[in-house]
Short mmCIF file of all heavy atoms in Angstrom, two decimals:
data_model
loop_
_atom_site.label_atom_id
_atom_site.label_comp_id
_atom_site.label_asym_id
_atom_site.label_seq_id
_atom_site.Cartn_x
_atom_site.Cartn_y
_atom_site.Cartn_z
N LYS P 1 8.24 5.51 -14.23
CA LYS P 1 9.28 6.29 -13.59
C LYS P 1 10.67 5.76 -13.95
O LYS P 1 11.62 6.52 -14.18
CB LYS P 1 9.10 6.27 -12.07
CG LYS P 1 7.91 7.05 -11.58
CD LYS P 1 8.11 8.56 -11.78
CE LYS P 1 6.96 9.35 -11.18
NZ LYS P 1 7.12 10.81 -11.36
N PHE P 2 10.79 4.44 -14.00
CA PHE P 2 12.06 3.80 -14.34
C PHE P 2 12.52 4.20 -15.74
O PHE P 2 13.67 4.59 -15.96
CB PHE P 2 11.90 2.27 -14.27
CG PHE P 2 13.13 1.50 -14.65
CD1 PHE P 2 14.22 1.41 -13.79
CD2 PHE P 2 13.18 0.83 -15.86
CE1 PHE P 2 15.34 0.68 -14.14
CE2 PHE P 2 14.30 0.10 -16.23
CZ PHE P 2 15.39 0.02 -15.36
N VAL P 3 11.60 4.16 -16.68
CA VAL P 3 11.92 4.54 -18.06
C VAL P 3 12.20 6.03 -18.16
O VAL P 3 13.14 6.47 -18.83
CB VAL P 3 10.77 4.14 -19.01
CG1 VAL P 3 11.04 4.66 -20.43
CG2 VAL P 3 10.60 2.62 -19.03
N LYS P 4 11.39 6.83 -17.46
CA LYS P 4 11.54 8.28 -17.51
C LYS P 4 12.93 8.72 -17.07
O LYS P 4 13.52 9.65 -17.64
CB LYS P 4 10.49 8.94 -16.62
CG LYS P 4 10.59 10.46 -16.57
CD LYS P 4 9.51 11.06 -15.68
CE LYS P 4 9.64 12.58 -15.60
NZ LYS P 4 8.58 13.17 -14.74
N TYR P 5 13.46 8.06 -16.08
CA TYR P 5 14.75 8.48 -15.52
C TYR P 5 15.93 7.66 -16.04
O TYR P 5 16.93 7.50 -15.37
CB TYR P 5 14.70 8.45 -13.99
CG TYR P 5 13.77 9.49 -13.44
CD1 TYR P 5 12.53 9.15 -12.89
CD2 TYR P 5 14.10 10.84 -13.49
CE1 TYR P 5 11.67 10.12 -12.40
CE2 TYR P 5 13.24 11.82 -13.00
CZ TYR P 5 12.03 11.45 -12.47
OH TYR P 5 11.18 12.42 -11.99
N GLY P 6 15.76 7.14 -17.27
CA GLY P 6 16.90 6.56 -17.95
C GLY P 6 16.96 5.06 -18.02
O GLY P 6 17.90 4.50 -18.58
N GLY P 7 15.96 4.38 -17.47
CA GLY P 7 15.97 2.92 -17.53
C GLY P 7 15.50 2.42 -18.88
O GLY P 7 14.96 3.16 -19.70
N TYR P 8 15.70 1.16 -19.12
CA TYR P 8 15.26 0.54 -20.37
C TYR P 8 13.90 -0.12 -20.16
O TYR P 8 13.51 -0.43 -19.05
CB TYR P 8 16.28 -0.50 -20.85
CG TYR P 8 16.59 -1.56 -19.83
CD1 TYR P 8 15.83 -2.73 -19.76
CD2 TYR P 8 17.63 -1.40 -18.92
CE1 TYR P 8 16.10 -3.70 -18.82
CE2 TYR P 8 17.91 -2.36 -17.97
CZ TYR P 8 17.14 -3.51 -17.92
OH TYR P 8 17.41 -4.48 -16.98
N ASP P 9 13.19 -0.32 -21.24
CA ASP P 9 11.84 -0.88 -21.15
C ASP P 9 11.75 -2.14 -22.01
O ASP P 9 10.92 -2.24 -22.90
CB ASP P 9 10.80 0.16 -21.59
CG ASP P 9 9.39 -0.26 -21.21
OD1 ASP P 9 9.25 -1.11 -20.32
OD2 ASP P 9 8.44 0.26 -21.81
N ILE P 10 12.66 -3.04 -21.78
CA ILE P 10 12.69 -4.29 -22.53
C ILE P 10 12.24 -5.43 -21.62
O ILE P 10 12.84 -5.69 -20.58
CB ILE P 10 14.10 -4.58 -23.08
CG1 ILE P 10 14.52 -3.48 -24.05
CG2 ILE P 10 14.15 -5.94 -23.75
CD1 ILE P 10 15.91 -3.62 -24.57
N LYS P 11 11.16 -6.08 -22.00
CA LYS P 11 10.60 -7.20 -21.23
C LYS P 11 10.33 -6.84 -19.78
O LYS P 11 10.45 -7.67 -18.89
CB LYS P 11 11.53 -8.42 -21.31
CG LYS P 11 11.30 -9.28 -22.53
CD LYS P 11 11.83 -10.69 -22.30
CE LYS P 11 11.32 -11.59 -23.42
NZ LYS P 11 11.72 -12.99 -23.22
N GLY P 12 10.02 -5.60 -19.54
CA GLY P 12 9.66 -5.22 -18.18
C GLY P 12 8.23 -5.64 -17.91
O GLY P 12 7.31 -5.18 -18.57
N ARG P 13 8.05 -6.52 -16.95
CA ARG P 13 6.72 -7.06 -16.68
C ARG P 13 6.27 -6.69 -15.27
O ARG P 13 7.07 -6.38 -14.41
CB ARG P 13 6.75 -8.58 -16.84
CG ARG P 13 6.99 -8.98 -18.30
CD ARG P 13 7.38 -10.44 -18.42
NE ARG P 13 8.64 -10.73 -17.74
CZ ARG P 13 9.27 -11.89 -17.85
NH1 ARG P 13 8.77 -12.85 -18.59
NH2 ARG P 13 10.40 -12.08 -17.20
N LYS P 14 4.96 -6.73 -15.07
CA LYS P 14 4.40 -6.31 -13.79
C LYS P 14 4.13 -7.51 -12.90
O LYS P 14 3.59 -8.52 -13.33
CB LYS P 14 3.12 -5.52 -14.04
CG LYS P 14 2.52 -4.91 -12.80
CD LYS P 14 1.51 -3.84 -13.15
CE LYS P 14 0.37 -4.37 -13.98
NZ LYS P 14 -0.65 -3.34 -14.24
N LEU P 15 4.50 -7.37 -11.62
CA LEU P 15 4.24 -8.40 -10.64
C LEU P 15 3.83 -7.71 -9.34
O LEU P 15 4.67 -7.29 -8.55
CB LEU P 15 5.49 -9.27 -10.43
CG LEU P 15 5.32 -10.57 -9.65
CD1 LEU P 15 4.34 -11.50 -10.37
CD2 LEU P 15 6.66 -11.26 -9.44
N ASN P 16 2.52 -7.56 -9.16
CA ASN P 16 2.01 -6.85 -7.99
C ASN P 16 2.29 -7.62 -6.70
O ASN P 16 2.00 -8.82 -6.63
CB ASN P 16 0.49 -6.66 -8.10
CG ASN P 16 0.07 -5.78 -9.24
OD1 ASN P 16 -0.89 -6.08 -9.93
ND2 ASN P 16 0.76 -4.68 -9.45
N PRO P 17 2.84 -6.98 -5.70
CA PRO P 17 3.02 -7.63 -4.39
C PRO P 17 1.67 -8.09 -3.84
O PRO P 17 0.67 -7.38 -3.97
CB PRO P 17 3.62 -6.54 -3.52
CG PRO P 17 4.31 -5.63 -4.49
CD PRO P 17 3.43 -5.62 -5.71
N PRO P 18 1.63 -9.26 -3.23
CA PRO P 18 0.36 -9.79 -2.72
C PRO P 18 0.07 -9.32 -1.30
O PRO P 18 0.96 -8.83 -0.59
CB PRO P 18 0.60 -11.30 -2.73
CG PRO P 18 2.07 -11.43 -2.40
CD PRO P 18 2.72 -10.24 -3.09
N VAL P 19 -1.16 -9.50 -0.89
CA VAL P 19 -1.55 -9.26 0.50
C VAL P 19 -1.29 -10.55 1.28
O VAL P 19 -1.71 -11.63 0.87
CB VAL P 19 -3.03 -8.89 0.59
CG1 VAL P 19 -3.45 -8.73 2.05
CG2 VAL P 19 -3.30 -7.60 -0.16
N SER P 20 -0.62 -10.42 2.40
CA SER P 20 -0.37 -11.58 3.24
C SER P 20 -1.68 -12.20 3.72
O SER P 20 -2.67 -11.50 3.96
CB SER P 20 0.47 -11.17 4.46
OG SER P 20 0.48 -12.18 5.44
N THR P 21 -1.68 -13.52 3.85
CA THR P 21 -2.87 -14.22 4.35
C THR P 21 -3.20 -13.83 5.78
O THR P 21 -4.29 -14.13 6.28
CB THR P 21 -2.67 -15.74 4.28
OG1 THR P 21 -1.47 -16.09 4.99
CG2 THR P 21 -2.56 -16.22 2.84
N GLY P 22 -2.27 -13.14 6.43
CA GLY P 22 -2.51 -12.69 7.80
C GLY P 22 -3.50 -11.55 7.91
O GLY P 22 -3.94 -11.21 9.01
N PHE P 23 -3.86 -10.95 6.76
CA PHE P 23 -4.82 -9.84 6.77
C PHE P 23 -6.17 -10.35 6.31
O PHE P 23 -6.32 -10.82 5.17
CB PHE P 23 -4.32 -8.70 5.89
CG PHE P 23 -3.10 -8.03 6.44
CD1 PHE P 23 -1.84 -8.41 6.01
CD2 PHE P 23 -3.21 -7.04 7.40
CE1 PHE P 23 -0.70 -7.80 6.53
CE2 PHE P 23 -2.08 -6.44 7.93
CZ PHE P 23 -0.82 -6.82 7.49
N ASN P 24 -7.16 -10.24 7.17
CA ASN P 24 -8.51 -10.73 6.86
C ASN P 24 -9.52 -10.07 7.78
O ASN P 24 -9.17 -9.46 8.79
CB ASN P 24 -8.56 -12.25 7.01
CG ASN P 24 -8.07 -12.69 8.38
OD1 ASN P 24 -8.79 -12.57 9.37
ND2 ASN P 24 -6.83 -13.16 8.45
N ASN P 25 -10.77 -10.20 7.41
CA ASN P 25 -11.87 -9.63 8.19
C ASN P 25 -12.26 -10.63 9.28
O ASN P 25 -12.72 -11.73 8.98
CB ASN P 25 -13.05 -9.34 7.27
CG ASN P 25 -14.19 -8.64 7.99
OD1 ASN P 25 -14.15 -8.45 9.20
ND2 ASN P 25 -15.21 -8.25 7.24
N THR P 26 -12.08 -10.25 10.53
CA THR P 26 -12.41 -11.13 11.64
C THR P 26 -13.88 -11.02 12.07
O THR P 26 -14.30 -11.72 13.00
CB THR P 26 -11.51 -10.82 12.86
OG1 THR P 26 -11.72 -9.46 13.27
CG2 THR P 26 -10.04 -11.03 12.50
N ASN P 27 -14.63 -10.13 11.41
CA ASN P 27 -16.06 -9.93 11.69
C ASN P 27 -16.31 -9.52 13.14
O ASN P 27 -17.34 -9.85 13.71
CB ASN P 27 -16.84 -11.21 11.35
CG ASN P 27 -16.86 -11.51 9.87
OD1 ASN P 27 -17.17 -10.65 9.06
ND2 ASN P 27 -16.49 -12.74 9.51
N LYS P 28 -15.38 -8.78 13.72
CA LYS P 28 -15.53 -8.30 15.10
C LYS P 28 -15.68 -6.78 15.17
O LYS P 28 -15.69 -6.20 16.24
CB LYS P 28 -14.34 -8.75 15.94
CG LYS P 28 -14.24 -10.26 16.11
CD LYS P 28 -13.04 -10.65 16.96
CE LYS P 28 -12.97 -12.17 17.13
NZ LYS P 28 -11.80 -12.59 17.94
N ARG P 29 -15.78 -6.15 14.02
CA ARG P 29 -15.86 -4.69 13.96
C ARG P 29 -17.21 -4.22 14.54
O ARG P 29 -18.27 -4.72 14.16
CB ARG P 29 -15.69 -4.26 12.51
CG ARG P 29 -15.53 -2.78 12.28
CD ARG P 29 -15.19 -2.49 10.83
NE ARG P 29 -13.78 -2.69 10.53
CZ ARG P 29 -13.33 -3.64 9.74
NH1 ARG P 29 -14.16 -4.49 9.16
NH2 ARG P 29 -12.03 -3.75 9.53
N ASP P 30 -17.15 -3.24 15.42
CA ASP P 30 -18.35 -2.67 16.02
C ASP P 30 -18.98 -1.69 15.05
O ASP P 30 -18.43 -0.60 14.82
CB ASP P 30 -17.99 -1.99 17.35
CG ASP P 30 -19.22 -1.44 18.08
OD1 ASP P 30 -20.34 -1.52 17.52
OD2 ASP P 30 -19.05 -0.92 19.20
N ARG P 31 -20.12 -2.04 14.51
CA ARG P 31 -20.77 -1.19 13.50
C ARG P 31 -21.49 0.01 14.11
O ARG P 31 -22.02 0.85 13.40
CB ARG P 31 -21.75 -2.03 12.67
CG ARG P 31 -21.07 -3.03 11.76
CD ARG P 31 -20.23 -2.33 10.72
NE ARG P 31 -19.45 -3.26 9.90
CZ ARG P 31 -18.53 -2.89 9.03
NH1 ARG P 31 -18.26 -1.60 8.86
NH2 ARG P 31 -17.86 -3.78 8.33
N ASN P 32 -21.52 0.08 15.43
CA ASN P 32 -22.18 1.22 16.07
C ASN P 32 -21.22 2.37 16.34
O ASN P 32 -21.62 3.40 16.90
CB ASN P 32 -22.82 0.78 17.39
CG ASN P 32 -23.96 -0.21 17.17
OD1 ASN P 32 -24.80 0.00 16.29
ND2 ASN P 32 -23.97 -1.28 17.94
N THR P 33 -19.95 2.17 15.99
CA THR P 33 -18.96 3.22 16.17
C THR P 33 -18.29 3.51 14.83
O THR P 33 -18.49 2.81 13.85
CB THR P 33 -17.88 2.80 17.19
OG1 THR P 33 -17.22 1.62 16.70
CG2 THR P 33 -18.49 2.50 18.54
N THR P 34 -17.49 4.56 14.79
CA THR P 34 -16.69 4.87 13.61
C THR P 34 -15.28 5.24 14.05
O THR P 34 -15.08 6.27 14.70
CB THR P 34 -17.30 6.03 12.80
OG1 THR P 34 -18.56 5.63 12.24
CG2 THR P 34 -16.37 6.42 11.65
N ASN P 35 -14.35 4.38 13.72
CA ASN P 35 -12.95 4.59 14.06
C ASN P 35 -12.13 4.78 12.80
O ASN P 35 -12.33 4.07 11.81
CB ASN P 35 -12.40 3.41 14.85
CG ASN P 35 -13.14 3.18 16.15
OD1 ASN P 35 -13.58 4.14 16.79
ND2 ASN P 35 -13.29 1.93 16.55
N ILE P 36 -11.20 5.72 12.84
CA ILE P 36 -10.31 6.00 11.72
C ILE P 36 -8.93 5.44 12.04
O ILE P 36 -8.45 5.54 13.17
CB ILE P 36 -10.21 7.51 11.45
CG1 ILE P 36 -11.56 8.08 11.03
CG2 ILE P 36 -9.15 7.81 10.38
CD1 ILE P 36 -11.57 9.60 10.91
N CYS P 37 -8.29 4.87 11.03
CA CYS P 37 -6.93 4.35 11.20
C CYS P 37 -6.03 4.93 10.11
O CYS P 37 -6.44 5.07 8.95
CB CYS P 37 -6.94 2.82 11.09
SG CYS P 37 -5.32 2.06 11.20
N ILE P 38 -4.81 5.29 10.50
CA ILE P 38 -3.84 5.80 9.55
C ILE P 38 -2.45 5.37 10.01
O ILE P 38 -2.21 5.22 11.21
CB ILE P 38 -3.91 7.34 9.43
CG1 ILE P 38 -2.92 7.85 8.37
CG2 ILE P 38 -3.70 8.01 10.78
CD1 ILE P 38 -3.09 9.33 8.04
N ILE P 39 -1.56 5.16 9.06
CA ILE P 39 -0.16 4.91 9.39
C ILE P 39 0.56 6.24 9.35
O ILE P 39 0.66 6.88 8.31
CB ILE P 39 0.48 3.90 8.42
CG1 ILE P 39 -0.25 2.55 8.52
CG2 ILE P 39 1.97 3.74 8.71
CD1 ILE P 39 0.25 1.50 7.55
N GLY P 40 1.05 6.67 10.50
CA GLY P 40 1.70 7.97 10.59
C GLY P 40 3.21 7.85 10.53
O GLY P 40 3.81 7.15 11.33
N ARG P 41 3.82 8.53 9.58
CA ARG P 41 5.28 8.53 9.45
C ARG P 41 5.78 9.97 9.39
O ARG P 41 5.06 10.87 8.96
CB ARG P 41 5.71 7.79 8.17
CG ARG P 41 5.22 6.34 8.06
CD ARG P 41 5.67 5.48 9.22
NE ARG P 41 7.11 5.47 9.42
CZ ARG P 41 7.95 4.60 8.83
NH1 ARG P 41 7.49 3.69 8.01
NH2 ARG P 41 9.25 4.65 9.09
N ILE P 42 7.03 10.15 9.81
CA ILE P 42 7.56 11.52 9.84
C ILE P 42 8.05 11.99 8.48
O ILE P 42 8.17 13.19 8.25
CB ILE P 42 8.70 11.64 10.88
CG1 ILE P 42 9.85 10.67 10.54
CG2 ILE P 42 8.19 11.40 12.28
CD1 ILE P 42 11.06 10.85 11.44
N HIS P 43 8.34 11.07 7.55
CA HIS P 43 8.84 11.47 6.23
C HIS P 43 7.77 12.31 5.52
O HIS P 43 6.59 11.95 5.47
CB HIS P 43 9.19 10.25 5.39
CG HIS P 43 10.00 10.58 4.18
ND1 HIS P 43 9.47 11.22 3.07
CD2 HIS P 43 11.31 10.35 3.89
CE1 HIS P 43 10.42 11.37 2.16
NE2 HIS P 43 11.54 10.85 2.64
N GLU P 44 8.18 13.42 4.95
CA GLU P 44 7.25 14.36 4.32
C GLU P 44 6.39 13.70 3.24
O GLU P 44 5.19 14.01 3.12
CB GLU P 44 8.04 15.53 3.72
CG GLU P 44 7.17 16.61 3.13
CD GLU P 44 7.97 17.78 2.58
OE1 GLU P 44 9.22 17.70 2.59
OE2 GLU P 44 7.35 18.76 2.13
N ASP P 45 6.99 12.80 2.45
CA ASP P 45 6.25 12.17 1.35
C ASP P 45 5.12 11.27 1.84
O ASP P 45 4.24 10.90 1.04
CB ASP P 45 7.20 11.35 0.47
CG ASP P 45 7.68 12.14 -0.74
OD1 ASP P 45 7.25 13.31 -0.88
OD2 ASP P 45 8.47 11.61 -1.54
N LYS P 46 5.13 10.89 3.11
CA LYS P 46 4.06 10.04 3.63
C LYS P 46 2.80 10.84 3.94
O LYS P 46 1.72 10.27 4.15
CB LYS P 46 4.53 9.30 4.88
CG LYS P 46 5.65 8.31 4.61
CD LYS P 46 5.24 7.26 3.58
CE LYS P 46 6.34 6.25 3.32
NZ LYS P 46 5.95 5.23 2.31
N GLY P 47 2.92 12.17 3.99
CA GLY P 47 1.75 13.03 4.05
C GLY P 47 0.97 13.03 5.35
O GLY P 47 -0.20 13.45 5.37
N PHE P 48 1.60 12.61 6.45
CA PHE P 48 0.85 12.60 7.71
C PHE P 48 0.44 14.02 8.12
O PHE P 48 -0.63 14.22 8.70
CB PHE P 48 1.69 11.96 8.81
CG PHE P 48 0.96 11.78 10.11
CD1 PHE P 48 -0.23 11.06 10.16
CD2 PHE P 48 1.45 12.34 11.29
CE1 PHE P 48 -0.92 10.90 11.37
CE2 PHE P 48 0.77 12.18 12.49
CZ PHE P 48 -0.42 11.46 12.53
#
């Protein structure tokens, strides 16, 4: 997108943002139920 809209592509390297160590599986999920989670935002591009 950067290049498409006029940016340069010299030495542009990728650095993926990491997941914080605060996110992990606590092994407390109830497997007898099914719950859905979504982040709801009002901005149209978020697609809620």
Side-chain angles (χ1 to χ4, degrees):
K1 289 291 185 180
F2 178 75
V3 174
K4 178 180 178 179
Y5 292 108
Y8 55 89
D9 193 20
I10 298 176
K11 275 202 168 184
R13 294 165 297 189
K14 186 164 60 176
L15 192 62
N16 295 138
V19 176
S20 166
T21 55
F23 292 95
N24 54 77
N25 185 355
T26 60
N27 293 309
K28 295 180 179 179
R29 189 173 279 113
D30 183 355
R31 290 297 174 188
N32 295 315
T33 60
T34 294
N35 300 326
I36 297 173
C37 177
I38 183 171
I39 298 177
R41 303 302 305 271
I42 60 174
H43 194 288
E44 184 178 4
D45 265 359
K46 295 302 181 180
F48 186 56

